[in-house]
Amino acid sequence: MAATLTIRNLTSTPLELKKLEHYEAPQSSQHDYGGGLANIGSITKSFQTLLSNQTQPTGEQIAENAQSFSSEDVSVHTEPFKTSKTDLKGIERPNEILRLTFETDGERYRLDVPSPTKHSTTLVPLTPNPRHAYTAVFLPYKSHVSIFSSANLSSWMQELKDETPLSALSIPGTHNSPTHHRALPSVRCQVASIRDQLENGVRFFDIRVQPEDPEDPSKDGLILVHGVFPISLSGNKYLRDLINEVFSFLDDHPSETLIMSLKREGPGTHTDAQLSRILRDHYAGDTNRWYTAPHIPTLGEARHKITLIRRFALEDSLKNEWNGAGWCVDAESWAYNTPNDLCRSGDICVQDFCEVLETENVDKKIEYSTQHLGRAAGAKAHLPGDANVQDGQSPPKQPFYLNFLSASNFWKVGCWPDKIAEKLNPAIVDFLCCKHNELEGIEGQFVGDGGTGIVVCDWVGKDGDWDLIRAIVGMNSKLWLREHN
């Protein structure tokens, strides 16, 4: 029996479904819906997924003169950030396409699902000079449509106000960010270059470095590593080149910031104190390009800069920086392999359960990841003008909710980073689309700002698939609405 249609509106505008049509798919665009939930990875890749820079306009697979075999005028009204479960028939057979016509502010937009491509699908405006832009995800095995506001991934932060605490944002990140080079399979965690990640919305980098000449304070060499291994089999790669790439991007997109978590790894006898000195003297001394104060900034304070999170101890002299408060956002103390830990500084709340020793443990990793998404969703940012924050008083601290989707087991092929990501990434897309920020068992009820925190991913951008990144960015809509009301 076919699932009935469910519509989730994750935009800041009300939407009304006005017409539902069923078409026969052209022979070249037939889809296979087999496999059910067990094949969620292949399903979310085969059908339209979430908000990509390479979105496809809807309707190309249906000829303009095509005749629907079923058509009905309907009225299904869905308020912003609400879900409507209907009694309307969804996909019933493999060679079928649904055409949905929505209306808002007197304008109509059309969506055909499922798409013939794996890329996201923008809704086609049916009136000239439309005021809105929407992108949809359709999960065919549930007949579930989620609609997001479209955004420009290369400069998505420009839509949010300067006063916004950076920790209130839903921020896509990558784990061992520069590991897209040819490397050991257990070392490589990414497929896209640094610039491609930035252009496609990633705003958090997880970086591990090894001091090259730790005993010589005049040397600035920091080798990019993953554990004890170099990130490339073709020779050392260096932090300096990565930083130059980031600054080039920020110069082109001054509305953005890049949050960078730095940790010391690699072989040798170097120390955290040596690393902190090298960074302060040779990299992060310019406060016009780096945010190094020991507290979470507002977006305005961080724009056009790298915001530095340190996972290393400081040399004693650096503890006196910023009038004795220290240096950089402090993430020195988080627990290893933790499902939920608040760092001593109170600035970082992290999920980093990383030892997935057997493939069966992936389900536990998914559970911990979705639980941490729930923690982030329940947080509500304190914005200027909030009634519960008096003038001159500091609002309660909202930490970065740092959520690592990464995990691996060096000794088991099925638990290498790419294999874990094949299962975890589609599961998180599904969760964000269907369940995120919705109270269990209470239809349409939401809490907090509905954010995700910083979600740190492996193997995003493979074959142009930025679905997960775009889903995360899309979860800033409720915060945006609060800022602009």
Side-chain angles (χ1 to χ4, degrees):
M1 181 176 177
T4 54
L5 185 67
T6 298
I7 300 167
R8 193 172 188 199
N9 180 5
L10 292 165
T11 79
S12 58
T13 57
L15 295 169
E16 184 178 2
L17 178 65
K18 301 292 288 186
K19 191 171 187 177
L20 176 64
E21 301 167 271
H22 294 250
Y23 286 81
E24 196 80 30
Q27 189 69 25
S28 61
S29 298
Q30 291 182 5
H31 304 283
D32 177 12
Y33 305 149
L37 192 57
N39 274 340
I40 185 173
S42 60
I43 288 170
T44 54
K45 289 179 182 295
S46 299
F47 301 101
Q48 81 198 51
T49 41
L50 290 169
L51 294 93
S52 163
N53 266 355
Q54 304 177 28
T55 53
Q56 296 280 350
T58 185
E60 291 184 348
Q61 71 271 35
I62 300 178
E64 287 300 320
N65 61 352
Q67 295 295 313
S68 62
F69 63 79
S70 173
S71 177
E72 57 182 316
D73 294 325
V74 299
S75 179
V76 179
H77 187 87
T78 309
E79 285 291 320
F81 315 110
K82 300 291 185 180
T83 299
S84 296
K85 293 185 177 181
T86 78
D87 58 2
L88 301 171
K89 289 183 179 179
I91 294 287
E92 294 185 282
R93 53 194 183 189
N95 304 336
E96 186 176 349
I97 295 173
L98 299 182
R99 171 168 285 179
L100 300 91
T101 302
F102 291 91
E103 184 173 287
T104 185
D105 294 333
E107 300 176 344
R108 291 201 172 192
Y109 299 79
R110 188 178 69 202
L111 170 68
D112 295 344
V113 292
S115 165
T117 75
K118 70 180 179 183
H119 298 306
S120 311
T121 303
T122 56
L123 277 68
V124 172
L126 302 180
T127 54
N129 304 313
R131 283 173 283 180
H132 307 288
Y134 301 108
T135 312
V137 53
F138 179 65
L139 301 177
Y141 55 95
K142 297 180 178 179
S143 286
H144 189 289
V145 177
S146 291
I147 300 177
F148 294 77
S149 297
S150 300
N152 182 352
L153 282 183
S154 65
S155 53
W156 62 265
M157 287 179 164
Q158 69 182 356
E159 305 298 329
L160 294 156
K161 292 187 176 181
D162 282 350
E163 298 80 11
T164 311
L166 196 57
S167 55
L169 272 61
S170 298
I171 297 175
T174 50
H175 162 247
N176 277 295
S177 304
T179 57
H180 63 283
H181 304 280
R182 186 169 62 91
L184 297 173
S186 60
V187 170
R188 187 177 183 186
C189 299
Q190 303 302 330
V191 67
S193 70
I194 288 298
R195 184 72 186 212
D196 283 348
Q197 291 180 41
L198 292 167
E199 292 286 356
N200 285 281
V202 173
R203 294 294 178 269
F204 172 92
F205 281 173
D206 169 44
I207 305 295
R208 323 294 176 94
V209 296
Q210 171 193 337
E212 189 172 39
D213 297 289
E215 301 299 333
D216 187 345
S218 69
K219 299 292 181 65
D220 68 352
L222 292 174
I223 302 169
L224 298 170
V225 295
H226 181 179
V228 298
F229 300 105
I231 66 166
S232 173
L233 294 176
S234 61
N236 288 337
K237 306 297 181 183
Y238 289 88
L239 180 66
R240 178 67 68 190
D241 295 325
L242 185 151
I243 296 299
N244 290 339
E245 191 72 49
V246 173
F247 282 158
S248 174
F249 172 81
L250 292 176
D251 287 342
D252 293 339
H253 303 87
S255 63
E256 310 302 288
T257 185
L258 187 279
I259 303 170
M260 182 178 292
S261 166
L262 267 168
K263 182 185 179 186
R264 180 181 59 86
E265 289 185 351
T269 58
H270 39 78
T271 67
D272 280 1
Q274 290 168 331
L275 171 61
S276 65
R277 192 75 257 173
I278 292 169
L279 287 169
R280 176 62 177 83
D281 290 349
H282 297 287
Y283 290 87
D286 183 0
T287 55
N288 291 314
R289 301 312 308 260
W290 294 79
Y291 183 87
T292 59
H295 57 78
I296 295 171
T298 63
L299 182 54
E301 290 174 318
R303 291 194 201 273
H304 198 221
K305 299 177 183 179
I306 295 174
T307 300
L308 190 55
I309 295 177
R310 63 174 177 87
R311 292 183 64 185
F312 52 84
L314 293 176
E315 184 189 65
D316 285 345
S317 64
L318 294 181
K319 297 175 183 178
N320 296 319
E321 294 276 317
W322 294 97
N323 297 317
W327 194 62
C328 305
V329 177
D330 179 7
E332 179 186 345
S333 65
W334 85 42
Y336 176 72
N337 200 40
T338 179
N340 179 30
D341 182 60
L342 183 66
C343 289
R344 187 170 54 244
S345 67
D347 288 332
I348 307 288
C349 183
V350 63
Q351 181 281 123
D352 190 21
F353 175 72
C354 58
E355 291 190 354
V356 175
L357 302 181
E358 302 290 341
T359 54
E360 293 81 4
N361 289 349
V362 174
D363 288 342
K364 182 180 290 187
K365 177 66 177 180
I366 293 171
E367 178 185 358
Y368 290 155
S369 299
T370 56
Q371 286 174 351
H372 212 59
L373 286 170
R375 294 181 190 103
K380 189 171 184 178
H382 293 272
L383 303 175
D386 280 356
N388 57 344
V389 179
Q390 299 180 6
D391 290 340
Q393 289 187 347
S394 297
K397 180 180 289 189
Q398 180 176 351
F400 285 119
Y401 287 92
L402 198 53
N403 197 351
F404 280 80
L405 305 188
S406 54
S408 66
N409 176 1
F410 180 86
W411 304 108
K412 190 173 284 290
V413 174
C415 294
W416 284 351
D418 60 327
K419 303 301 183 184
I420 298 291
E422 283 180 3
K423 299 177 181 179
L424 201 68
N425 291 359
I428 298 302
V429 168
D430 182 89
F431 178 84
L432 291 172
C433 182
C434 299
K435 297 180 180 179
H436 182 66
N437 199 39
E438 190 163 337
L439 288 178
E440 191 73 26
I442 304 178
E443 171 59 28
Q445 297 299 308
F446 301 86
V447 295
D449 285 327
T452 65
I454 301 173
V455 184
V456 190
C457 316
D458 278 346
W459 281 81
V460 290
K462 184 180 179 182
D463 300 323
D465 179 4
W466 297 96
D467 302 345
L468 179 53
I469 301 303
R470 238 2 235 278
I472 296 163
V473 173
M475 292 300 169
N476 285 297
S477 290
K478 194 174 182 184
L479 178 63
W480 180 93
L481 186 62
R482 280 188 61 210
E483 288 187 340
H484 290 82
N485 276 351

